[in-house]
Amino acid sequence: MYTSPRKMRETMPQTPIFSTMLGSSCSGQVQPDMGDRCVDPVYQDGNLVSGSLEALIERLVPTMDYYPDRTYIFTFLLSSRVFIHPHELLAKVGQICIKQKQQLEMGTEAEKAKLKSFAAKIIQLLKEWTETFPYDFQDEKSMKELKEIAHRITQCDEENGTVKKIISQMTQNLLMALSARSQYQEIREKFRQPVTDKGTILKTKPQSTQKDILSVCCDPLILAQQLTYIELERVSNIYPEDLMQIVSHMDSLDNHKCRGDVTKTYNLEAYDNWFNCLSMLVATEICRVVKKKQRTRMVEFFIDVARECFNIGNFNSMMAIISGMNLSPVARLKKTWSKVKTAKFDVLEHHMDPSSNFCNYRTALQGAAQRSQTANSNREKIVIPVFNLFIKDIYFLHKIHTNRLPNGQINFKKFWEISRQIHDFLTWKQVECPFEKDKKIQSYLLTAPIYSEEALFIASFESEGPENHMEKDSWKTLRTTLLNRA
């Protein structure tokens, strides 16, 4: 964590760290004397809570004696895209840098001697920006602004060329990061498409030689570990700017200024589709089993897998499995469920009880997060939240609080909280998976045929016939549809 120098030419209050930024602890810094003018930005208990875009940008740019702490850099760069394009922000940062550089060059010899220190701070800011938000530099305008700032800064150290070497390495790392993301998106295109895009996969009676999940992996713990491997692989390709699209794509006074790049939500949609595919795979594996005894075994197997996911801290896979077993084609199999030992399933459903805003789940998630903070091994650091609930939390946080206050200033307190939640997610996604990849199991999980909702109902009715008028009508409609297709 960066700390500000003790002696600062511009006495700017330092932003608090995430754990205390919404608390009452004071930063101990003196606020700028604004006189009779409107205070901009505004601080409460030492915490920055609002300000104009221009004032917030000024707080982002280092000076000869000041460097913003990392929480402010992260939060502002994350939230700024709601109000200004990255290339426009870069241009403004560049303008402030040029002014400060010119002031130092026109100052005393002592001030001129500090040019290298000033240049180092600007480079550090750009380094943090390019490493945390590399996608901001994907377009030519942003790269042009970055090169312009870099050119100006290299003039501060023309003698030994150290600054130029650092900038060159920074640019190279940025291009590598952008290339890696581009390659991942190309690979994602080849992955299994969302279930809604698939045609009906219908086999009234599966062949006895046809594989099922138990023939590939019969150990619930191993399957839970492989699901966790896939989850961590998926979340590793979700970036803070992806998550911020939830806010920047919504209606606001500044919506016309926001980036409308729909492809930015691609990683979010891909991860959400994985959840849906896993749910449908669970339902498919259960409904396609012909014999009741084997079907019961399959249900109990997935219950054990979900429990192991919970123990690992993989709440997303756990929820997907529970969702799959609660789909109507599976839930209606009363004869099957009557043979299932449901005590374990009842415990799982208790953890995922939606009442009181999923209070039980949130308690379990908090416990896993606390375990992760004090863990000595990657195995104990794993925290994979239920992604659609995580997204909804950000969504409602955005809807409840306005982007701007009545005085026109940006409601920065809102963005502190959004960035805190996203920062937690980024911390969890950086955990290295402690489980070895099993290609055979993962291949099955990612490529096994998935029934459409229609096919699931047909398989379900063929296993256990309709029991009431509504089910009988549904079954009759499905059969008529099949005959018409034939």
Side-chain angles (χ1 to χ4, degrees), residues 1-18 20-21 25-32 41-49 58-63 65-73 121 412 416:
M1 180 68 66
Y2 290 97
T3 55
S4 59
R6 293 182 180 180
K7 295 181 180 180
M8 297 170 58
R9 170 174 290 185
E10 300 176 20
T11 54
M12 297 182 181
Q14 287 293 282
T15 49
I17 59 174
F18 280 105
T20 60
M21 66 189 177
S25 60
C26 183
S27 65
Q29 300 291 336
V30 181
Q31 296 183 20
V42 176
Y43 293 83
Q44 290 180 358
D45 297 324
N47 299 336
L48 194 159
V49 294
E58 287 182 5
R59 264 62 185 172
L60 173 70
V61 183
T63 68
D65 302 303
Y66 160 81
Y67 192 84
D69 63 39
R70 297 183 72 181
T71 54
Y72 179 76
I73 294 173
K121 290 176 181 177
F412 209 67
W416 274 130

Side-chain angles (χ1 to χ4, degrees), residues 78-277:
L78 181 70
S79 58
S80 64
R81 65 201 65 242
V82 177
F83 307 97
I84 186 173
H85 288 265
H87 70 84
E88 293 175 328
L89 177 58
L90 272 165
K92 290 182 178 293
V93 169
Q95 291 168 6
I96 297 174
C97 288
I98 291 171
K99 289 180 181 178
Q100 293 189 24
K101 177 174 175 290
Q102 291 173 343
Q103 289 174 0
L104 289 173
E105 290 173 338
M106 296 172 61
T108 63
E109 290 300 320
E111 289 178 328
K112 290 180 181 179
K114 292 183 178 181
L115 272 172
K116 290 183 181 179
S117 175
F118 169 70
K121 290 176 181 177
I122 298 300
I123 292 172
Q124 182 60 30
L125 174 65
L126 295 176
K127 188 171 182 290
E128 291 194 44
W129 192 341
T130 56
E131 288 178 352
T132 310
F133 303 98
Y135 216 68
D136 286 352
F137 302 86
Q138 66 167 337
D139 58 75
E140 293 181 4
K141 291 181 180 179
S142 294
M143 288 300 292
K144 181 182 178 182
E145 295 294 344
L146 178 63
K147 291 176 181 178
E148 181 64 26
I149 297 174
H151 174 69
R152 297 281 185 177
I153 295 303
T154 53
Q155 296 174 350
C156 298
D157 184 36
E158 291 182 319
E159 293 181 5
N160 54 34
T162 302
V163 170
K164 190 173 183 179
K165 292 178 183 177
I166 296 174
I167 290 176
S168 177
Q169 184 62 51
M170 177 190 73
T171 306
Q172 184 178 346
N173 293 340
L174 171 60
L175 294 175
M176 289 174 62
L178 289 173
S179 177
R181 292 199 187 188
S182 177
Q183 290 175 6
Y184 174 74
Q185 287 196 358
E186 290 177 5
I187 294 172
R188 285 294 307 155
E189 293 289 348
K190 299 177 182 178
F191 287 173
R192 184 169 55 196
Q193 293 297 309
V195 176
T196 52
D197 291 342
K198 283 184 168 288
T200 301
I201 302 175
L202 178 60
K203 291 185 178 179
T204 55
K205 297 292 180 180
Q207 301 293 325
S208 58
T209 57
Q210 190 174 341
K211 280 186 177 182
D212 62 16
I213 188 65
L214 290 173
S215 67
V216 178
C217 178
C218 60
D219 187 328
L221 175 58
I222 292 177
L223 188 61
Q225 291 175 346
Q226 292 306 304
L227 287 171
T228 302
Y229 190 107
I230 293 173
E231 294 278 357
L232 289 173
E233 194 173 50
R234 291 289 192 279
V235 298
S236 69
N237 290 287
I238 293 176
Y239 300 92
E241 59 266 37
D242 296 329
L243 297 167
M244 205 60 188
Q245 292 301 308
I246 302 164
V247 174
S248 60
H249 274 161
M250 293 175 190
D251 292 335
S252 70
L253 293 175
D254 302 275
N255 196 50
H256 64 285
K257 295 181 181 178
C258 301
R259 287 186 293 170
D261 187 358
V262 179
T263 60
K264 289 298 177 58
T265 60
Y266 182 85
N267 288 334
L268 304 184
E269 293 168 359
Y271 190 43
D272 186 53
N273 286 337
W274 154 249
F275 180 97
N276 295 333
C277 284

Side-chain angles (χ1 to χ4, degrees), residues 230-397:
I230 293 173
E231 294 278 357
L232 289 173
E233 194 173 50
R234 291 289 192 279
V235 298
S236 69
N237 290 287
I238 293 176
Y239 300 92
E241 59 266 37
D242 296 329
L243 297 167
M244 205 60 188
Q245 292 301 308
I246 302 164
V247 174
S248 60
H249 274 161
M250 293 175 190
D251 292 335
S252 70
L253 293 175
D254 302 275
N255 196 50
H256 64 285
K257 295 181 181 178
C258 301
R259 287 186 293 170
D261 187 358
V262 179
T263 60
K264 289 298 177 58
T265 60
Y266 182 85
N267 288 334
L268 304 184
E269 293 168 359
Y271 190 43
D272 186 53
N273 286 337
W274 154 249
F275 180 97
N276 295 333
C277 284
L278 179 55
S279 295
M280 295 297 281
L281 177 63
V282 169
T284 299
E285 291 291 321
I286 294 171
C287 289
R288 67 199 284 260
V289 179
V290 178
K291 295 182 179 180
K292 183 173 65 177
K293 186 176 181 180
Q294 294 175 344
R295 196 162 52 246
T296 301
R297 183 191 174 199
M298 186 69 75
V299 171
E300 292 180 338
F301 173 73
F302 277 117
I303 291 174
D304 288 338
V305 173
R307 186 178 64 167
E308 294 294 351
C309 285
F310 176 84
N311 293 335
I312 290 173
N314 180 0
F315 300 104
N316 199 57
S317 288
M318 173 191 173
M319 178 66 98
I321 293 171
I322 293 174
S323 297
M325 289 192 286
N326 279 326
L327 290 174
S328 296
V330 179
R332 64 164 298 278
L333 298 172
K334 295 181 180 179
K335 294 178 182 178
T336 302
W337 282 100
S338 68
K339 300 296 182 180
V340 173
K341 299 175 183 178
T342 57
K344 296 177 185 177
F345 189 67
D346 292 340
V347 171
L348 294 175
E349 287 205 307
H350 173 74
H351 286 307
M352 294 301 170
D353 185 353
S355 61
S356 300
N357 193 22
F358 289 88
C359 178
N360 296 338
Y361 157 70
R362 296 183 188 281
T363 300
L365 178 65
Q366 185 178 15
Q370 290 174 349
R371 179 188 68 183
S372 179
Q373 291 175 354
T374 58
N376 296 318
S377 66
N378 285 333
R379 169 64 182 80
E380 296 176 325
K381 290 181 181 179
I382 296 172
V383 182
I384 305 173
V386 178
F387 192 63
N388 58 9
L389 290 181
F390 173 76
I391 293 297
K392 285 178 181 178
D393 285 345
I394 296 177
Y395 171 82
F396 284 114
L397 189 61

